[in-house]
Amino acid sequence: MNRKIVFPTNEHQGLLSKRDAHFGRANFYTVVELSPEGKTVDVLVVKNEGHKSSGCGGAVENICILGADALIVSGIGGSPLQGFARKGLAVYHDNISVSVEQSLNAFLANQLTLMQPDMSCSHH
């Protein structure tokens, strides 16, 4: 079964897109579909519709609607992190990689850690 990994980005450049530091404010979500062997099957860039009136819960739904299996972020607030946990969506931390491609390679090499509540941004 294929997996979909979502990266918040500010560009519409596929794997070369620069990652955004915070998922809720990103201009786009770059969605990478991986085969069971970890090969890239498809790359889709989707405009981030933002929080709208539903706050962080809307941002969580925006990611879940994409069929995501994992989200890779540099930062995330405690409330959306809990929302993803309730939905069963894994959130990984990467504050080093600049591009989607670099972050994807780190993910595939098992170099990223799962976000823990104490790693979330305190202003959310």
Side-chain angles (χ1 to χ4, degrees), residues 1 13 43 56 65 69 103 108 112:
M1 176 182 242
Q13 302 295 321
V43 179
C56 290
I65 287 170
D69 296 294
S103 189
L108 292 172
L112 304 182

Side-chain angles (χ1 to χ4, degrees), residues 14-80:
L15 292 175
L16 300 178
S17 296
K18 291 182 183 170
R19 296 174 55 239
D20 190 288
H22 215 279
F23 93 98
R25 289 184 230 128
N27 291 326
F28 302 98
Y29 297 129
T30 299
V31 184
V32 179
E33 185 175 351
L34 299 173
S35 71
E37 297 79 31
K39 303 292 183 198
T40 301
V41 173
D42 194 17
V43 179
L44 174 69
V45 180
V46 179
K47 182 167 177 37
N48 177 8
E49 296 299 325
H51 287 51
K52 296 187 179 177
S53 62
S54 54
C56 290
V60 170
E61 286 303 316
N62 291 343
I63 297 291
C64 291
I65 287 170
L66 297 173
D69 296 294
L71 171 67
I72 300 178
V73 300
S74 295
I76 190 169
S79 178

Side-chain angles (χ1 to χ4, degrees), residues 95-118:
N95 63 349
I96 297 172
S97 303
V98 175
S99 71
V100 169
E101 184 174 45
Q102 291 170 339
S103 189
L104 177 62
N105 288 336
F107 174 78
L108 292 172
N110 294 315
Q111 297 173 338
L112 304 182
T113 58
L114 280 170
M115 289 285 296
Q116 302 300 316
D118 63 338

